[in-house]
Amino acid sequence: MASNEFQKRDVRQEVTQLIIEKLERGVMPWRRGWSSVDKTDMALIPRNGESGRNYRGGNRLHLMVRMLENGWEDPRFFTFNQLQKLGAYPEKGSRGSAVEYWDEMPFWKRRDCSVKIGDEVVRVHGVERVGTQTTAIVGPDMREVYASHLRVVGPGGKEYTWFQAENNLNLVFSRHAVVFNVHQCRGLDKYLAENPIDLPKRTPIELDNTLDAIVVGMKKTGLAVKFEPQDRAYYTPFADVVVLPLREQFDSDVAFRSTLLHELAHATGHEKRLNRETLTKSGGFGSKDYAREELVAELASAFMSAETGIERDDDQHAAYIQSWLEVLKGKDGKHVIFEAARDAEKATNYLLDRADLMREIDRNREKQSTEVEIA
């Protein structure tokens, strides 16, 4: 659902302003965007109720903040049209949440581009791809022509091959939609009965096993992880090492896991992993890149908590709030939070992939061991 009024809204600025207002009150708005271990032991990742796909990047962060703000326990969101298909509708007066998605206009739909066969300008009606072969349906007779036989004239009269035009002239632009959480809707009784939320339990041992798998997986990429009797926790990109105090020095297991996750999130940005610019070009404490990198690590640990059920010590890293406010209020502030959330999602996926890889290796070892014993 998108009205003319909504199309004029600056969604990124709205999301940024919401986060700024909470940070100015000393609250990290993504805090407790999941259920605590002593309740359901599992997180609630915002996702589309029809497709089941998790929202990504800035959309994930925005909807997590809205869930926390309103106390919504169900993570599913629907567009107005999706609700209509289910015979449901938003409650009167409900305020939907904006989500951003990207769309693409192919060059052959642009008015300032033309496609030619020889000297003849032809209209393109569609494109078909079979394997590596691309054909275009062109002209009034709807004939099929190999794309490699076509020439494209772009703005200013510059000529391109079809494949050059795809790389240089396709337009990518953002669109917005409004979504409503299940708690804002009526008429979903049948849907909810047929699609209950199943949240698996996670014991402290399972949480430690998950964290151990992540650590081992990161070590396989060359990262060193050290625990020493001292009072600092940090990641050094030059040496590619995470250093933490001994586990018994932490006030709680939650504080230990949270701190380790945060530093591991930093380590994903190393040039031999995700090569994250905010880490590789950081100017040190007080610089904008440093503040952005801390924001990425903070959001990554929030996303990791939501994905794994590993709780966070939310009192940590509050010292960065002022520096985050400075970058969010800057000239490009409305893009910072979306860029940080995008990078945080990449970091989260990287860490989870390392854990999954180690689990798969362990399963294969157990299988081979069992086969040997049977033999």
Side-chain angles (χ1 to χ4, degrees):
M1 183 178 76
S3 65
N4 291 334
E5 178 184 0
F6 178 72
Q7 294 284 8
K8 296 176 183 178
R9 287 166 53 182
D10 188 336
V11 174
R12 287 196 168 197
Q13 187 57 53
E14 288 183 19
V15 174
T16 301
Q17 189 57 41
L18 171 65
I19 291 173
I20 285 175
E21 290 172 359
K22 291 185 177 294
L23 288 175
E24 286 180 331
R25 297 200 300 269
V27 175
M28 288 182 279
W30 47 85
R31 187 175 66 177
R32 300 298 184 197
W34 54 90
S35 299
S36 62
V37 173
D38 60 359
K39 287 180 64 180
T40 64
D41 297 350
M42 191 54 191
L44 299 176
I45 309 294
R47 60 180 180 264
N48 184 274
E50 181 178 79
S51 68
R53 289 193 294 268
N54 290 344
Y55 287 100
R56 302 178 58 185
N59 291 332
R60 174 182 292 191
L61 175 62
H62 179 206
L63 296 180
M64 282 176 67
V65 171
R66 289 298 311 277
M67 287 174 63
L68 173 63
E69 183 181 44
N70 293 281
W72 297 332
E73 296 180 354
D74 194 307
R76 292 171 290 189
F77 290 80
F78 294 88
T79 65
F80 184 79
N81 288 338
Q82 289 172 342
L83 287 173
Q84 279 192 318
K85 292 178 186 177
L86 295 171
Y89 54 92
E91 288 188 351
K92 187 175 181 180
S94 294
R95 180 175 180 270
S97 304
V99 293
E100 177 184 83
Y101 65 97
W102 295 89
D103 205 350
E104 184 175 63
M105 175 186 288
F107 68 86
W108 47 270
K109 287 187 177 182
R110 291 178 56 170
R111 293 184 178 181
D112 56 353
C113 294
S114 58
V115 177
K116 290 185 174 183
I117 301 178
D119 294 328
E120 177 192 3
V121 176
V122 293
R123 179 183 176 188
V124 179
H125 300 281
V127 175
E128 293 183 351
R129 289 184 172 85
V130 178
T132 59
Q133 186 64 59
T134 301
T135 57
I137 302 170
V138 304
D141 54 351
M142 305 290 283
R143 66 187 184 276
E144 291 188 9
V145 179
Y146 288 124
S148 57
H149 295 172
L150 301 170
R151 292 185 300 115
V152 179
V153 181
K158 184 176 180 179
E159 291 197 359
Y160 301 81
T161 67
W162 180 278
F163 303 105
Q164 288 173 335
E166 285 187 323
N167 290 328
N168 293 280
L169 299 179
N170 283 1
L171 296 178
V172 179
F173 52 93
S174 65
R175 290 185 180 275
H176 303 103
V178 176
V179 294
F180 298 88
N181 184 265
V182 164
H183 292 279
Q184 297 177 285
C185 303
R186 295 287 183 90
L188 285 175
D189 293 347
K190 181 179 178 181
Y191 168 86
L192 295 175
E194 295 175 350
N195 300 276
I197 294 290
D198 183 21
L199 299 178
K201 297 287 183 179
R202 300 297 171 106
T203 66
I205 292 177
E206 288 173 320
L207 298 182
D208 279 338
N209 288 343
T210 297
L211 193 53
D212 287 345
I214 293 171
V215 170
V216 173
M218 287 293 284
K219 285 182 176 180
K220 291 290 186 181
T221 70
L223 176 70
V225 181
K226 299 180 179 180
F227 303 96
E228 301 176 346
Q230 42 86 43
D231 59 359
R232 293 180 59 215
Y234 57 90
Y235 169 66
T236 303
F238 178 75
D240 196 23
V241 58
V242 165
V243 180
L244 263 72
L246 301 176
R247 183 162 186 163
E248 54 265 30
Q249 291 181 252
F250 286 85
D251 294 334
S252 66
D253 286 338
V254 169
F256 170 77
R257 297 188 192 107
S258 177
T259 303
L260 181 52
L261 266 185
H262 182 92
E263 301 307 333
L264 290 172
H266 279 309
T268 64
H270 192 277
E271 60 184 12
K272 67 184 176 185
R273 298 184 188 96
L274 297 177
N275 195 27
R276 191 164 54 246
E277 188 171 295
T278 53
L279 178 73
T280 59
K281 296 185 178 180
S282 175
F285 186 82
S287 70
K288 288 184 178 180
D289 278 335
Y290 187 93
R292 290 188 183 197
E293 173 60 23
E294 284 298 333
L295 184 56
V296 171
E298 169 66 17
L299 295 180
S301 25
F303 290 168
M304 282 295 295
S305 295
E307 292 278 6
T308 65
I310 298 174
E311 279 201 299
R312 302 168 63 240
D313 182 350
D314 294 307
D315 291 331
Q316 295 188 23
H317 314 299
Y320 296 109
I321 286 180
Q322 190 56 45
S323 61
W324 294 339
L325 281 170
E326 289 177 7
V327 296
L328 292 177
K329 290 181 177 181
K331 181 180 178 181
D332 298 321
K334 69 179 182 180
H335 301 300
V336 168
I337 197 69
F338 277 78
E339 291 167 358
R342 175 202 63 201
D343 287 344
E345 182 188 4
K346 290 180 180 178
T348 299
N349 291 340
Y350 190 92
L351 292 172
L352 292 174
D353 286 345
R354 302 289 78 72
D356 289 342
L357 177 61
M358 298 317 300
R359 291 192 185 103
E360 183 63 26
I361 290 173
D362 287 342
R363 283 193 292 269
N364 289 337
R365 284 175 179 167
E366 290 177 3
K367 182 179 179 181
Q368 292 172 3
S369 176
T370 302
E371 290 174 349
V372 169
E373 290 176 1
I374 293 175

